[in-house]
Amino acid sequence: MAETVHLADRTPQVSAEDLLAGFHPSYRFGEVSFDTYIPDPAHPSQAEAVSRLRDFAASIKGGSKGGAKGNGGGLFGFLKGGKSGSVGRSKGTTSAAGIYLDGGFGVGKTHLLASTWHAAPGPKAFGTFVEYTNLVGALSFRKAVDVLKEYTLVCIDEFELDDPGDTVLMSRLMRELSDAGVKLVATSNTLPGSLGDGRFAAQDFKREIQVLADQFDVIRVDGEDYRHRGLTAAPDPMEDDQLLTVLADRFPDAAVVSEDSFEDLTANLSRVHPSRYRKLVEDVDVMVLHHVETISEQAMALRFVVLADRLYDKDVPVIASGVPFDRLFTEEMMSGGYMKKYFRTVSRMTALVREGQMGETGL
């Protein structure tokens, strides 16, 4: 019988070592490769992106940076006082230090990013934009730079700038890593020169944004959201008294099930820092969510975005009652400065609900 837990009651603690241990592709992308990415013939830019990223990964020079499986030892080695040799491109090269994958939702950018990580040699880091800013907060900027510059490759998923502080922080971080010879690959739904638009006075931080843009060659990845190709919109929510019956029928072998009311869960999200959401759901196999409501507060909406990303990383099926997830955010939010984040969340939560309630699966 499954153990039932309540995320609303959890207050996870996360150390710097816990953050560092998570800098690798999630379970969902743990075994992907360029070969498992199937380009859509209707969008040639997808096949071109695969080709260019293969070449990019092959151009990265490995190093004896140490660490188990070569994919994380540099972080821990640095914290323990270890030092390693130089990596990456030589100083003075005129080519950009990295590649920036720009495209819409569900075209496989994270799949391509993880494939690059798997194909590249040497110790490397893979995390979301939020996880890198959390790392800086946990270690300090200087120590985070010293840790990350020991890597051959740093992959940054969901690159977004939500405030001026993050703009300055990430422009400095990318510049210093590039100067140290670290290769960079990032994904986003916004071109580097447009980061920050609609969120704050981006013009006032034009220099920092340009510094970010200068680190990357942009590859456009066009296409439809694969999670919805040929499928209907978000499934209708279930009647609340059906949720546990569907859970028992569809997931009889689940070890840990989280069950919460949407109100209680979001109340706890307001108390737990987003850097701890991975820990919050780390053992959850299936989520049961009662009485989902439209979120009307921006701060809570942005926190739920992070939770949705962590659930999607772990491929946690969702069974829910209340409003459908395409009504999770207000119409004003879906057309505002953070609309791309919210559309991504709707897309991902809809995929998880389809998996939980209808048995549809996919990356």
Side-chain angles (χ1 to χ4, degrees):
M1 177 179 258
E3 175 189 1
T4 299
V5 301
H6 304 292
L7 301 184
D9 297 334
R10 290 184 163 185
T11 54
Q13 301 301 310
V14 179
S15 66
E17 288 75 15
D18 291 330
L19 288 176
L20 298 177
F23 275 80
H24 56 79
S26 66
Y27 164 80
R28 179 179 286 273
F29 298 100
E31 297 183 359
V32 300
S33 68
F34 293 124
D35 290 336
T36 62
Y37 182 88
I38 309 300
D40 186 344
H43 299 280
S45 63
Q46 295 185 11
E48 181 183 351
V50 171
S51 177
R52 290 185 62 181
L53 286 167
R54 280 186 190 273
D55 291 344
F56 183 80
S59 74
I60 297 174
K61 295 179 174 60
S64 56
K65 294 298 182 81
K69 299 183 181 179
N71 65 357
L75 290 169
F76 290 105
F78 175 82
L79 290 178
K80 294 176 181 177
K83 292 292 180 183
S84 306
S86 62
V87 298
R89 65 190 175 97
S90 60
K91 298 291 192 302
T93 181
T94 57
S95 62
I99 287 178
Y100 189 101
L101 298 176
D102 174 65
F105 311 99
V107 297
K109 298 189 303 297
T110 301
H111 186 141
L112 290 171
L113 184 69
S115 297
T116 306
W117 187 92
H118 287 300
K124 49 217 174 181
F126 182 107
T128 64
F129 176 87
V130 171
E131 287 173 318
Y132 284 105
T133 57
N134 289 338
L135 181 67
V136 171
L139 297 183
S140 80
F141 179 83
R142 180 47 47 198
K143 198 164 188 178
V145 170
D146 288 341
V147 165
L148 293 174
K149 74 181 183 182
E150 295 298 307
Y151 281 67
T152 60
L153 174 68
V154 168
C155 296
I156 308 144
D157 202 15
E158 314 295 357
F159 206 115
E160 293 286 353
L161 299 182
D162 297 336
D163 60 58
D166 282 348
T167 304
V168 175
L169 174 70
M170 292 305 290
S171 67
R172 286 183 59 202
L173 183 64
M174 296 300 98
R175 182 177 64 246
E176 296 209 22
L177 293 181
S178 175
D179 289 345
V182 179
K183 293 293 188 179
L184 309 169
V185 184
T187 73
S188 182
N189 305 305
T190 306
L191 287 169
S194 300
L195 288 166
D197 284 358
R199 297 168 179 82
F200 58 88
Q203 187 64 29
D204 294 342
F205 294 86
K206 185 175 181 179
R207 183 178 65 84
E208 285 80 5
I209 292 172
Q210 188 59 50
V211 167
L212 281 171
D214 288 345
Q215 311 307 316
F216 299 100
D217 289 330
V218 176
I219 297 178
R220 176 71 187 179
V221 185
D222 299 302
E224 301 175 61
D225 185 338
Y226 72 86
R227 289 181 287 265
H228 298 169
R229 288 176 195 163
L231 300 174
T232 58
D236 292 334
M238 309 196 74
E239 294 296 329
D240 198 67
D241 59 6
Q242 296 178 338
L243 300 188
L244 297 184
T245 299
V246 172
L247 170 68
D249 289 344
R250 293 197 50 76
F251 302 98
D253 299 324
V256 179
V257 174
S258 71
E259 182 183 6
D260 294 273
S261 73
F262 190 77
E263 181 180 7
D264 290 343
L265 174 62
T266 53
N268 197 37
L269 293 183
S270 69
R271 296 187 290 265
V272 176
H273 190 273
S275 65
R276 302 177 182 180
Y277 290 0
R278 187 185 299 278
K279 189 80 169 177
L280 185 73
V281 301
E282 68 175 355
D283 59 343
V284 174
D285 297 314
V286 184
M287 169 180 274
V288 175
L289 203 51
H290 297 274
H291 308 300
V292 175
E293 301 174 357
T294 299
I295 299 173
S296 58
E297 181 187 10
Q298 192 92 273
M300 178 51 61
L302 291 171
R303 284 175 177 261
F304 199 91
V305 166
V306 179
L307 178 68
D309 287 342
R310 301 292 79 80
L311 292 171
Y312 188 77
D313 285 346
K314 286 192 80 272
D315 192 16
V316 177
V318 175
I319 303 171
S321 65
V323 302
F325 278 96
D326 54 12
R327 290 169 48 198
L328 182 63
F329 306 111
T330 65
E331 292 184 8
E332 182 180 10
M333 289 178 178
M334 296 296 285
S335 60
Y338 299 104
M339 61 179 292
K340 293 183 178 181
K341 283 178 177 280
Y342 298 148
F343 271 103
R344 182 182 80 237
T345 295
V346 169
S347 175
R348 290 185 164 186
M349 290 303 298
T350 296
L352 295 178
V353 171
R354 283 182 175 144
E355 184 174 353
Q357 299 178 185
M358 303 168 67
E360 295 172 353
T361 61
L363 283 178

